[in-house]
C-alpha cells in the first residue's frame, strides 16, 4: 500500500519562498543547530494556549481563581523542568501569557463554545498520494458561527490586518479542510499577541493584542481548493530551482550550504557542522519536551540565573 505523503501549510510556505530552501528543510530535514528564539517563543505560547483552552473546554471559567491557579502551577512546573538556557524564553512567554489572561481572554473568549483545541486534520488531494495536514489552534462556535482561530506572536503588529488575512495561506488551508471535512464554511481569525515584554511604561491593550477576522464564501474556498491542488501538482512535477533574491537569501538559514553548492563546492562538512537532521514532526514538537533538562547533562552554567526580572514579573527559581 502506498503511504500518504503529508504536506503542511508551513511546508507550502517554505516551498513558495524558495524550492531549494524547501529541499533543505523538508527533503534533507535539516535545521540549524543554533535554535531560533523567536520560534521557541511562538512554540511555547501555543503550548500554554493549548493548556489554557483545554481547561476552558473542560469547564474551568475565564478569570476564575481556579483557572488562574491551574495556569500558575503549569508555568512554575515548566520553569523547574527546563534547561537553564531556555528559562529566559519561558519567562518572556509567561509575561505574555499572564497579560493575555488578565487583559485579553475575557474580551475575545466570552460566550464561545470550544469545539476543538489543537485539532489535527488531514485531507487527501484527489488523484494523488498527497495529504494536506494541519493542526488547528482552536475551533469554536459563537452565535452559531464556526470559527478557526490561529494564535500568532511577534513584535510586528502591522504584519496582520483584516485585509491580509484574506491571503493567509495557513488559515485558508485550514478553512478548506474544515469545509471539506465538516461541510460547513468557517470564519477565520488571527489572535495576535505581542512578544515584546520590556516596556518602560505600561503598554496599552492596543499595543499588546490584535484581532483580525474574515468571513469566507463557498466561491472563495472553492477557488482556493483548486489553487492548492494545482500547487501540489506543481511541487511534484516542476524541477526545483533556487528563488535567488537578496531579500530571501539574506534571511535564509541555508545560505552558506546553498552558495557552496551553487559554486560547485562540496557542502557536506558545512552541513555536518552547522545543521542537524530532525524528525518529520519537528514543527509540531512541544517546546517543553525539547527544553526539558536532561538529567545526565550538567547545568548550563553560562546562562544559569536564579532570578529574572522583566519589570512586572519577577520570579526566583533558585
Ligand atoms: S540562499 Fe536563497 S536560493 Fe539558496 S536556499 Fe536560501 S533562499 Fe533559496
Amino acid at each position: 500500500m502506498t503511504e500518504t505523503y503529508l504536506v503542511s501549510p508551513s511546508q507550502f510556505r517554505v516551498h513558495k519562498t524558495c524550492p531549494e530552501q524547501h529541499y533543505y528543510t523538508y527533503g534533507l530535514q535539516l535545521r540549524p543547530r543554533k535554535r531560533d528564539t523567536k520560534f521557541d517563543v511562538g512554540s511555547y505560547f501555543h503550548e500554554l494556549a493549548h493548556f489554557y483552552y483545554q481547561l476552558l473546554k473542560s469547564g474551568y471559567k475565564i478569570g476564575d481563581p481556579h483557572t488562574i491557579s491551574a495556569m500558575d502551577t503549569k508555568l512554575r512546573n515548566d520553569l523547574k523542568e527546563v534547561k537553564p538556557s531556555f528559562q529566559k524564553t519561558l519567562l518572556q512567554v509567561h509575561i505574555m501569557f499572564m497579560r493575555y489572561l488578565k487583559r485579553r481572554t475575557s474580551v475575545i473568549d466570552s460566550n464561545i463554545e470550544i469545539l476543538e483545541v489543537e485539532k489535527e486534520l488531514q485531507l487527501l488531494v484527489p488523484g494523488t498520494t498527497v495529504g494536506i495536514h494541519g493542526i488547528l489552534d482552536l475551533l469554536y462556535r459563537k452565535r452559531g458561527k464556526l470559527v478557526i482561530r490561529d494564535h500568532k506572536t511577534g513584535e510586528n503588529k502591522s504584519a496582520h490586518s483584516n485585509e491580509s488575512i484574506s491571503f493567509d495561506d495557513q488559515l485558508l488551508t485550514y478553512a478548506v479542510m474544515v469545509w471539506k471535512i465538516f461541510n460547513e464554511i468557517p470564519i477565520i481569525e488571527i489572535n495576535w499577541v505581542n512578544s515584546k515584554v520590556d516596556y518602560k511604561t505600561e503598554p496599552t491593550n492596543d499595543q499588546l493584542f490584535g484581532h483580525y477576522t474574515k468571513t469566507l464564501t463557498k466561491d472563495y474556498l472553492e477557488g482556493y481548493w483548486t489553487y492548492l491542488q494545482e500547487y501540489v501538482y506543481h511541487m511534484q512535477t516542476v524541477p526545483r530551482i533556487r528563488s535567488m533574491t537578496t531579500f530571501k537569501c539574506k534571511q535564509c538559514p541555508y545560505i552558506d550550504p546553498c552558495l557552496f553548492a551553487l559554486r560547485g563546492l562540496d557542502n557536506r562538512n558545512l552541513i555536518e557542522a552547522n545543521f542537524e537532521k530532525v524528525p518529520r514532526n519537528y514543527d509540531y514538537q512541544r517546546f517543553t519536551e525539547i527544553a526539558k533538562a536532561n538529567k545526565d547533562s550538567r547545568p548550563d552554567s553560562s546562562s544559569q540565573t536564579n532570578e529574572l526580572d522583566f519589570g512586572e514579573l519577577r520570579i526566583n527559581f533558585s
Side-chain angles (χ1 to χ4, degrees):
M1 204 167 80
T2 319
E3 208 178 316
T4 305
Y5 181 77
L6 296 176
V7 183
S8 66
S10 309
Q11 196 165 339
F12 282 125
R13 182 177 43 74
V14 174
H15 193 275
K16 287 176 204 171
T17 302
C18 173
E20 186 74 2
Q21 189 180 127
H22 178 267
Y23 168 70
Y24 283 111
T25 313
Y26 294 100
L28 299 179
Q29 293 171 235
L30 297 175
R31 296 293 194 282
R33 289 190 189 278
K34 194 170 175 335
R35 285 182 66 82
D36 180 351
T37 315
K38 269 192 265 172
F39 176 79
D40 285 342
V41 167
S43 170
Y44 186 49
F45 186 90
H46 276 75
E47 187 173 333
L48 293 182
H50 173 103
F51 186 86
Y52 174 63
Y53 285 102
Q54 284 290 9
L55 288 178
L56 297 190
K57 187 165 184 260
S58 66
Y60 281 73
K61 301 279 180 261
I62 298 167
D64 187 273
H66 291 104
T67 312
I68 305 291
S69 166
M71 284 308 303
D72 189 61
T73 305
K74 157 87 177 145
L75 302 183
R76 286 173 189 278
N77 285 343
D78 286 351
L79 260 180
K80 283 185 208 145
E81 287 186 356
V82 301
K83 290 178 187 169
S85 53
F86 287 99
Q87 284 173 339
K88 192 164 184 192
T89 302
L90 254 80
L91 286 172
Q92 178 183 349
V93 181
H94 288 185
I95 293 172
M96 292 163 62
F97 210 85
M98 291 312 282
R99 282 176 176 154
Y100 185 71
L101 284 185
K102 286 180 191 161
R103 296 166 65 166
R104 192 58 173 165
T105 176
S106 60
V107 177
I108 60 171
D109 293 331
S110 44
N111 302 320
I112 66 171
E113 180 199 353
I114 296 175
L115 305 174
E116 303 284 356
V117 182
E118 287 203 356
K119 174 73 176 170
E120 182 175 357
L121 297 178
Q122 283 183 24
L123 180 65
L124 193 67
V125 177
T128 73
T129 54
V130 175
I132 297 176
H133 173 261
I135 299 182
L136 276 53
D137 288 341
L138 192 68
L139 186 67
Y140 69 88
R141 201 173 282 287
K142 186 167 184 176
R143 296 193 200 99
K145 306 274 190 199
L146 190 63
V147 185
I148 302 171
R149 178 184 294 172
D150 195 43
H151 307 299
K152 291 199 194 289
T153 58
E155 294 195 7
N156 182 13
K157 186 174 183 178
S158 62
H160 309 290
S161 68
N162 282 329
E163 288 70 45
S164 70
I165 197 172
S166 306
F167 307 103
D168 188 306
D169 47 3
Q170 181 186 16
L171 271 166
L172 289 171
T173 304
Y174 293 162
V176 164
M177 288 197 282
V178 166
W179 168 51
K180 288 282 174 188
I181 294 167
F182 300 106
N183 198 25
E184 186 172 346
I185 295 173
I187 291 170
I188 51 177
E189 175 188 270
I190 288 176
N191 171 38
W192 178 81
V193 178
N194 197 339
S195 54
K196 177 176 162 66
V197 292
D198 52 344
Y199 285 92
K200 288 201 173 74
T201 55
E202 185 69 8
T204 63
N205 283 353
D206 192 48
Q207 283 175 289
L208 294 179
F209 309 112
H211 186 245
Y212 312 96
T213 63
K214 169 85 182 167
T215 302
L216 300 168
T217 62
K218 189 163 176 281
D219 288 354
Y220 199 87
L221 283 183
E222 268 170 359
Y224 196 78
W225 178 221
T226 303
Y227 160 73
L228 269 184
Q229 293 173 82
E230 286 170 353
Y231 202 86
V232 167
Y233 180 76
H234 167 82
M235 285 171 85
Q236 290 179 311
T237 53
V238 176
R240 121 178 154 252
I241 185 165
R242 290 175 173 85
S243 290
M244 279 193 91
T245 67
T246 313
F247 180 73
K248 288 178 184 176
C249 297
K250 266 169 71 179
Q251 306 188 68
C252 177
Y254 307 98
I255 185 165
D256 292 333
C258 174
L259 294 186
F260 254 59
L262 183 76
R263 287 150 60 203
L265 302 173
D266 185 346
N267 62 10
R268 282 176 297 183
N269 287 344
L270 195 63
I271 288 177
E272 176 71 25
N274 298 306
F275 297 87
E276 59 184 340
K277 195 170 163 67
V278 298
R280 255 190 75 74
N281 68 351
Y282 180 83
D283 292 343
Y284 298 116
Q285 282 182 324
R286 289 203 177 284
F287 173 77
T288 45
E289 288 304 314
I290 294 162
K292 260 184 193 168
N294 178 346
K295 287 197 182 87
D296 298 325
S297 69
R298 288 170 185 220
D300 178 357
S301 56
S302 62
S303 54
Q304 192 163 20
T305 173
N306 290 331
E307 184 170 282
L308 284 171
D309 182 359
F310 285 95
E312 69 187 71
L313 183 73
R314 179 182 296 142
I315 296 184
N316 186 308
F317 44 91
S318 54

